[in-house]
Amino acid sequence: NTIFRLTLDDLRQQKENERAIARSKEYIASIVETVKNPLIVLSGSDFKIESANGAFYAMFAATAEESIGKKLEEFKDGLLKDEQLLRRLAHTLNEGEELAEYDVESALPQTGYRRLLLDARRIGIAATRSRRDAPARRPARRCGISGEYRRGERGGPRVRRT
């Protein structure tokens, strides 16, 4: 009888946690969509696109279906593939140090060459587990990137290493 009650309590807690996570995801999605500048949320050390806002999709002539789950370096045939950027994002993710105004010039699908100024910071979202797993609780590791663009010069992508 005691084992059944403990299991039932754990299931109730798990359901409450799932509802709380769903509410948090909806809240975060509404914030991401409200931001006027292009914004993406990357997940894990391989920087897979977890979500993005309409401004991001418009800038890169992309859709959620073709973007979500892709690694940043694979997005739009490597449009944002830059080894220095990936190293700086890894440092941001691991050390929590903000990346500010990282400068990339790239050929965007609809607007041509543009200068992109990227900002990134780690976003810590606590992973919710049952009470039995509470000591193992660690924040999920995500990295959010926002940016703005300015008209760049023709002649190919150029990256300023800072």
Side-chain angles (χ1 to χ4, degrees), residues 117-138:
L117 297 176
L118 306 177
D119 298 316
R121 68 183 53 172
R122 182 174 65 192
I123 303 169
I125 300 174
T128 306
R129 296 187 173 93
S130 71
R131 283 178 272 173
R132 287 183 296 181
D133 296 333
R137 195 176 291 173
R138 291 188 341 194

Side-chain angles (χ1 to χ4, degrees), residues 31-147:
I31 291 171
V32 167
E33 194 54 46
T34 302
V35 175
K36 293 185 191 300
N37 285 339
L39 178 85
I40 58 174
V41 177
L42 304 173
S43 181
S45 60
D46 56 355
F47 304 117
K48 285 186 179 177
I49 297 173
E50 187 171 303
S51 65
N53 66 0
F56 176 85
Y57 294 130
M59 174 184 274
F60 291 99
T63 64
E65 292 77 24
E66 66 183 327
S67 305
I68 303 300
K70 286 243 178 160
K71 292 180 180 180
L72 183 64
E73 62 193 62
E74 297 170 352
F75 173 72
K76 295 297 253 183
D77 295 323
L79 187 63
L80 293 173
K81 184 177 182 176
D82 175 271
E83 292 303 320
Q84 179 69 17
L85 173 61
L86 295 175
R87 279 194 295 276
R88 297 288 300 271
L89 289 175
H91 182 74
T92 297
L93 185 63
N94 295 325
E95 303 300 324
E97 187 176 312
E98 184 176 331
L99 175 64
E101 294 189 356
Y102 185 82
D103 191 9
V104 176
E105 283 195 14
S106 189
L108 300 180
Q110 294 182 335
T111 57
Y113 286 97
R114 294 287 187 252
R115 180 177 175 206
L116 306 174
L117 297 176
L118 306 177
D119 298 316
R121 68 183 53 172
R122 182 174 65 192
I123 303 169
I125 300 174
T128 306
R129 296 187 173 93
S130 71
R131 283 178 272 173
R132 287 183 296 181
D133 296 333
R137 195 176 291 173
R138 291 188 341 194
R141 292 159 54 120
R142 292 181 171 85
C143 187
I145 299 179
S146 66

